[in-house]
Amino acid sequence: MKNTFKAIAISLVLPSVLLGCASTGGMLSTPVENIDSSPIKVSPLTESEKRSWAHLDLVKDTIPGMSVDKAYTEIIKNKKGKTVIVAVIDGATDIDHEDLDDVIWINTDEIPNNGKDDDNNGYIDDVHGWNFVGDGYDEQMEYTRILASGDRSHPRFAEAEALYNQEYQKYSQLKTDYDEVYKGTVSADKVLTQHFGTSIYTKKEVLALKTENENLITAIQYAQLMYSNGYEYMHEGIKAIKRDLDNINERLNVHLNKNLNGRKTGDNPDDLNDKPGYGNNNVRPPTKDQSHGTHVSGIIAAERYNGKGIKGVANNVQIMPIRSTPNGDEYDKDVTLAIRYAVDNGAKVINMSFGKSFSTHSDWVRDAIVYAAQKDVLIVHGAGNEAENIDVYHKFPNDAIGTGPEVADNFITVGALQPKYGANMVGDYSNYGKVTVDVFAPGSDIYSSIPENEYESQRGTSMAAPNVSGVAALIRSQYPNLSAPQVKQILIDSGLSVKTKVVVGANGTIKSLSDISKSGKIVNAYNALIMASQISNSN
């Protein structure tokens, strides 16, 4: 799922744009249930809280985290549990990262780099997973591919054409506007640098300027625009505008480019049986900015006791990296085969932090979801970042056609929370749906690993899903006798029920959490382990 970020809000100049992760002991203590009297946190988050808020406790910390720290302190303690393989179907993953290198899955039946398929699973030298994207990276959006095919018999061709035209016009205008503002801001910075004799002039100094010089007056106006967007220095604002402009150009030149042929695997993506074993065994990111899979993996399973970086949610996990997501929309064939690869190679939880609004072969993916259910594998999926009600807005992959019956009971869809208990606790970008979204979990400003032993905060339901995958892995590790459907139901039923009204969607609609999700709850690791213990002991 493409990570979300807000473009700079250039008020009065141009509109904002949103460009779019076994114990058999006795019964445990009573779970927390009534949180509606919990105080709202009014003080800013500390740096420590910012980096770990998803693990904090709503009652103790007044932050809507998942009580992970409390679960370790009061329940897990020194219980290691059974090792669980979690497949991360995503973009590339830095398996050499200091916080991941000891938790990466190793296919012990495969002899590294001998050019043979030693375990006869159809994939050569798949020691640490598989890359279904191969050497490719840039890809179109699915609706662009539908339009480029020229196949007007496609049931959503007219819809794809209308959306393409709308998006192309939108981003073309944004490019014009951003080009102008970027040039103006760079020019203003040069004028102010010359005036002050330094490029590190302060906001206070600029706002105190009194001048009749037209160049300085214009420069001050551009500086005020940056300050109004929360930037203390012009160079920070310039960097943000350039980042947004790069994304706008990428949307036009890659995602909306009808002539692009980005697939490098030599197979036919519309034939599920063509060229089995296509792709390669390189799951690492070819460039540092391909950080999504590394970030998601860190949320789930970053090494908790190595004294470095961060702590993942789950403590006894092996991450199986599977690359299926390019820069653009993933192919249904790749997703289908990625799910089957994960299942066949021992994963018990699959995290899928990706999605799209058009799908040519959604039935293939649903069949793979059923296959995973038959093999007792839980799939956790992010709801998406369009701020839409996905009960009515198309979103793939899914485990049902529209709001019809689910094809299996092993698929859980997750919306995203912000670290703000109360009306603004749901991410303003998060999709929702009373039928299609099961639970909510922390997804905004989640601090995790990125390539080359670095860390940063990212936001999106891409980050909410791996938080839930981590809790699911904890349950399957501590109580391995529980089935995937049981773990799914525990995640749903054990969450904290929130009755307070929340703001959702692009229009800021006021809803209750039970109006925008099946459970009306936020995932809680402490409660989930208590419920898992009770069900495990009753089995």
Side-chain angles (χ1 to χ4, degrees):
M1 186 166 300
K2 292 77 194 170
N3 205 18
T4 69
F5 69 93
K6 274 190 176 179
I8 188 168
I10 308 181
S11 54
L12 304 181
V13 180
L14 42 105
S16 64
V17 56
L18 182 64
L19 296 179
C21 125
S23 172
T24 57
M27 296 298 181
L28 298 168
S29 55
T30 305
V32 175
E33 294 176 350
N34 184 8
I35 60 166
D36 289 311
S37 60
S38 294
I40 295 176
K41 186 177 180 66
V42 293
S43 58
L45 270 64
T46 65
E47 284 304 310
S48 176
E49 287 173 335
K50 287 178 182 178
R51 294 188 173 192
S52 64
W53 78 267
H55 292 207
L56 300 183
D57 180 72
L58 180 55
V59 174
K60 176 178 177 290
D61 304 299
T62 64
I63 297 170
M66 302 187 301
S67 304
V68 174
D69 293 345
K70 183 177 181 180
Y72 274 95
T73 301
E74 300 184 19
I75 299 176
I76 297 173
K77 299 179 182 177
N78 296 319
K79 301 172 185 174
K80 187 175 182 181
K82 178 181 178 180
T83 300
V84 174
I85 299 172
V86 178
V88 174
I89 302 178
D90 208 289
T93 300
D94 182 2
I95 62 176
D96 306 306
H97 193 285
E98 64 180 9
D99 234 357
L100 294 172
D101 53 0
D102 286 339
V103 297
I104 299 298
W105 173 73
I106 300 174
N107 182 358
T108 56
D109 293 328
E110 194 76 17
I111 300 172
N113 304 317
N114 68 350
K116 298 179 181 179
D117 180 14
D118 300 292
D119 58 359
N120 296 312
N121 70 349
Y123 300 92
I124 296 172
D125 289 335
D126 58 322
V127 177
H128 296 299
W130 195 252
N131 172 14
F132 287 94
V133 177
D135 294 328
Y137 178 59
D138 286 335
E139 283 287 357
Q140 300 158 315
M141 306 304 283
E142 185 76 10
Y143 57 82
T144 305
R145 292 199 283 257
I146 291 171
L147 192 60
S149 74
D151 181 10
R152 292 188 170 273
S153 67
H154 191 287
R156 296 185 68 191
F157 186 92
E159 188 181 351
E161 186 173 42
L163 179 59
Y164 177 89
N165 291 337
Q166 174 186 317
E167 291 292 285
Y168 195 87
Q169 181 179 2
K170 169 185 172 181
Y171 283 98
S172 295
Q173 185 61 53
L174 281 171
K175 176 175 170 53
T176 299
D177 294 338
Y178 265 76
D179 277 337
E180 180 180 346
V181 172
Y182 179 68
K183 291 175 183 176
T185 307
V186 169
S187 176
D189 182 50
K190 289 180 179 177
V191 170
L192 291 169
T193 295
Q194 183 177 13
H195 176 79
F196 289 111
T198 177
S199 60
I200 312 299
Y201 48 85
T202 67
K203 174 180 177 181
K204 183 178 180 180
E205 288 173 324
V206 172
L207 297 183
L209 270 178
K210 305 296 181 184
T211 182
E212 294 183 0
N213 182 289
E214 290 187 4
N215 288 338
L216 270 175
I217 290 172
T218 300
I220 292 168
Q221 290 173 340
Y222 275 103
Q224 288 173 325
L225 177 61
M226 296 301 101
Y227 302 146
S228 70
N229 278 275
Y231 299 105
E232 287 296 315
Y233 297 98
M234 281 284 277
H235 65 86
E236 295 175 338
I238 290 170
K239 184 177 179 180
I241 295 173
K242 179 63 165 58
R243 182 176 61 243
D244 289 348
L245 186 55
D246 287 346
N247 278 276
I248 291 166
N249 285 326
E250 181 179 71
R251 185 59 62 96
L252 288 169
N253 299 331
V254 177
H255 303 152
L256 298 177
N257 182 354
K258 289 186 285 187
N259 297 316
L260 179 70
N261 182 14
R263 195 161 181 85
K264 308 297 183 185
T265 47
D267 70 307
N268 178 2
D270 295 314
D271 183 350
L272 196 55
N273 298 307
D274 184 49
K275 293 197 175 180
Y278 67 87
N280 61 49
N281 68 343
N282 182 16
V283 298
R284 294 174 173 86
T287 60
K288 183 178 179 179
D289 61 351
Q290 295 180 43
S291 64
H292 198 270
T294 308
H295 199 272
V296 166
S297 296
I299 293 170
I300 298 168
E303 299 162 34
R304 292 186 60 84
Y305 308 114
N306 65 349
K308 299 177 182 178
I310 60 168
K311 293 181 178 181
V313 175
N315 68 332
N316 195 6
V317 160
Q318 292 180 356
I319 293 292
M320 179 191 291
I322 306 175
R323 189 180 179 205
S324 71
T325 306
N327 174 30
D329 278 343
E330 59 280 351
Y331 283 90
D332 295 323
K333 178 180 179 179
D334 298 344
V335 175
T336 299
L337 296 177
I339 292 172
R340 289 179 174 271
Y341 178 93
V343 172
D344 290 342
N345 287 281
K348 299 308 289 183
V349 177
I350 297 174
N351 188 89
M352 303 202 307
S353 289
F354 55 83
K356 56 186 179 180
S357 55
F358 286 74
S359 177
T360 303
H361 302 291
S362 60
D363 54 325
W364 292 355
V365 181
R366 281 191 292 273
D367 287 345
I369 292 169
V370 172
Y371 180 72
Q374 293 167 345
K375 301 292 185 177
D376 192 37
V377 180
L378 180 72
I379 298 176
V380 184
H381 181 242
N385 303 323
E386 294 83 15
E388 295 281 359
N389 179 356
I390 57 173
D391 287 352
V392 295
Y393 175 85
H394 291 290
K395 196 66 186 176
F396 303 94
N398 53 36
D399 62 340
I401 298 175
T403 55
E406 296 176 349
V407 296
D409 54 1
N410 66 325
F411 191 94
I412 185 167
T413 301
V414 186
L417 298 175
Q418 304 184 104
K420 307 171 183 177
Y421 177 63
N424 295 313
M425 65 190 298
V426 173
D428 57 3
Y429 53 84
S430 180
N431 287 344
Y432 57 94
K434 186 174 179 60
V435 176
T436 50
V437 175
D438 295 292
V439 291
F440 277 79
S444 291
D445 303 320
I446 304 299
Y447 190 72
S448 185
S449 47
I450 61 170
E452 300 183 13
N453 296 333
E454 294 185 11
Y455 305 83
E456 73 176 17
S457 294
Q458 296 183 10
R459 73 173 192 156
T461 60
S462 282
M463 284 67 245
N467 270 312
V468 176
S469 290
V471 178
L474 275 180
I475 297 170
R476 304 214 80 170
S477 174
Q478 295 293 320
Y479 307 100
N481 62 321
L482 298 178
S483 68
Q486 285 177 310
V487 174
K488 172 183 175 178
Q489 207 57 47
I490 287 167
L491 289 166
I492 292 172
D493 293 344
S494 67
L496 297 182
S497 181
V498 179
K499 293 184 173 58
T500 185
K501 299 287 186 179
V502 294
V503 180
V504 297
N507 296 322
T509 306
I510 307 298
K511 298 276 189 179
S512 69
L513 216 59
S514 59
D515 290 330
I516 61 170
S517 66
K518 192 176 295 183
S519 67
K521 297 180 179 181
I522 61 179
V523 169
N524 187 272
Y526 178 79
N527 281 6
L529 287 169
I530 292 173
M531 184 175 288
S533 173
Q534 294 167 343
I535 295 174
S536 177
N537 280 299
S538 66
N539 275 359

